Amino acid sequence: MRFPSLIRAGVALLVIAVVHAEERRFVFERPLMATRFAITCHGEDEAAAKKAADEAFAAAEEVNRIASDYSPESELMRLPAGKATKVSPVFAELLESSFHHAKLTEGAFDPTLGRLTKLWRESRRTRVLPPDDILTSARDAGGWKHATWDAATSTILLQKPGMQLDLGGIAKGYAADRMLAVMVKAGFSRTCIAAGGDLRLGDPPPGRKAWRVGLQTFDEESPEEVVELVNCAVSTSGDLHQFAEIGGKRYSHILDPATGLGLTERIAVSVISPTATISDALATAACVVGPEKAEALCLKAGATRVIVRTPR
């Protein structure tokens, strides 16, 4: 059976809803952060829903302008190494969460791998592994313990020469949380935010007790499991759609901080947690530590449920 879904992603929102006559379902979509963001909400006034959705997308776009490592003008890319720098309030929230999860996962989630990320993107594009000396240099420039984040003063110090941040493993989840907050404030609590492999869920659709979410990991055609969730988040990380074959070996888009290359052991992890900021970061970390340690790591760090799968 093929399930209809809102977007193609690691998690899919199944379009199964009973809508009361006075409330309608509205869907708004926009490309953002190298994926597609979508807002599904329920309400009576389409114009009000669109206005709220526009404000929610604007909140996500602000995160992208601040934390994108694709734009040389972003606040993230303008951080100098070797100098303590005060950051904006939104960036401060994101950095606080990033280094908090780096500590909780003992570096399995590491926000300081910007040099490696750019190097690995080039390898995925050219299908050629980086030379050992260049890989070593990029790997040596990272390490979350060599960045000092001071929450009291909102300052960040990148201690190593050439160190760069990469918040791609948490920024989409953080943006989804901000978007849901905007929608709820505008009166649309029955909302789901889809941000690539991350879902942030509010109150359930009218006539239902929960949102039905399909967890899609290794099966291209349909979810392996359907869960019912409300007022929480779920993120799935894996290499179902993003991988590269180089020299006869399959590499994930998820970086292993220890090697500086994409993961080679196939794994898919779905993390359910109170917020998408948490689930996004932990899903990445879980893939890095592997199937034997993933569940324990995530539950200790704030997840409420962890589903780990490997290819049959």
Side-chain angles (χ1 to χ4, degrees):
M1 177 179 180
R2 186 177 182 87
F3 290 82
S5 61
L6 184 61
I7 56 174
R8 296 285 297 175
V11 285
L13 173 63
L14 304 184
V15 186
I16 305 172
V18 177
V19 182
H20 291 175
E22 67 274 13
E23 289 196 34
R24 291 184 290 159
R25 181 171 67 91
F26 306 110
V27 179
F28 308 95
E29 300 185 34
R30 191 170 299 182
L32 190 63
M33 295 186 181
T35 186
R36 194 154 192 86
F37 277 54
I39 299 171
T40 300
C41 64
H42 296 262
E44 302 174 14
D45 188 334
E46 183 173 5
K50 183 179 185 307
K51 182 176 183 295
D54 287 343
E55 292 174 357
F57 282 126
E61 287 166 352
E62 181 183 15
V63 176
N64 190 52
R65 284 194 303 272
I66 289 170
S68 172
D69 66 343
Y70 285 93
S71 170
E73 299 304 316
S74 71
E75 191 172 357
L76 180 147
M77 290 302 294
R78 289 186 285 109
L79 285 178
K83 178 183 177 182
T85 305
K86 187 175 178 64
V87 301
S88 66
V90 172
F91 199 15
E93 283 189 0
L94 187 50
L95 289 174
E96 175 67 19
S97 293
S98 296
F99 285 97
H100 173 69
H101 286 94
K103 183 176 182 179
L104 285 178
T105 63
E106 298 182 349
F109 172 81
D110 190 336
T112 68
L113 304 182
R115 288 270 302 277
L116 283 172
T117 298
K118 290 192 172 182
L119 195 60
W120 186 236
R121 282 179 191 154
E122 181 65 14
S123 291
R124 290 173 61 197
R125 184 184 69 81
T126 62
R127 299 296 193 269
V128 177
L129 293 179
D132 289 344
D133 59 336
I134 295 177
L135 178 62
T136 298
S137 176
R139 189 171 59 237
D140 288 347
W144 69 277
K145 290 184 178 180
H146 298 282
T148 302
W149 164 246
D150 187 335
T153 60
S154 295
T155 58
I156 179 77
L157 171 62
L158 307 179
Q159 298 172 14
K160 288 187 174 183
M163 176 179 274
Q164 294 179 2
L165 299 183
D166 170 23
L167 304 184
I170 195 171
K172 289 193 296 295
Y174 174 73
D177 287 335
R178 294 193 80 212
M179 291 173 71
L180 181 63
V182 171
M183 296 299 295
V184 171
K185 185 176 180 180
F188 294 91
S189 63
R190 300 182 187 274
T191 292
C192 168
I193 308 295
D198 308 305
L199 290 181
R200 183 65 168 96
L201 308 162
D203 290 341
R208 299 199 68 89
K209 293 182 179 180
W211 296 90
R212 299 196 69 203
V213 177
L215 303 179
Q216 188 177 19
T217 52
F218 294 113
D219 191 333
E220 290 273 5
E221 295 301 317
S222 62
E224 288 91 339
E225 182 176 349
V226 177
V227 294
E228 295 195 342
L229 302 171
V230 63
N231 290 315
C232 66
V234 56
S235 299
T236 294
S237 287
D239 67 352
L240 177 61
H241 299 298
Q242 295 195 62
F243 65 91
E245 290 188 1
I246 304 174
K249 182 179 288 189
R250 181 185 177 111
Y251 293 89
S252 170
H253 71 292
I254 301 171
L255 276 175
D256 182 349
T259 66
L261 302 175
L263 298 175
T264 56
E265 180 181 8
R266 296 203 68 191
I267 181 175
V269 181
S270 297
V271 175
I272 300 169
S273 67
T275 71
T277 304
I278 295 173
S279 61
D280 194 8
L282 293 186
T284 300
C287 290
V288 170
V289 300
E292 294 182 358
K293 299 179 180 179
E295 183 175 12
L297 174 82
C298 293
L299 292 176
K300 183 179 179 181
T304 54
R305 186 184 175 194
V306 185
I307 302 163
V308 182
R309 289 191 174 89
T310 55
R312 296 174 182 174

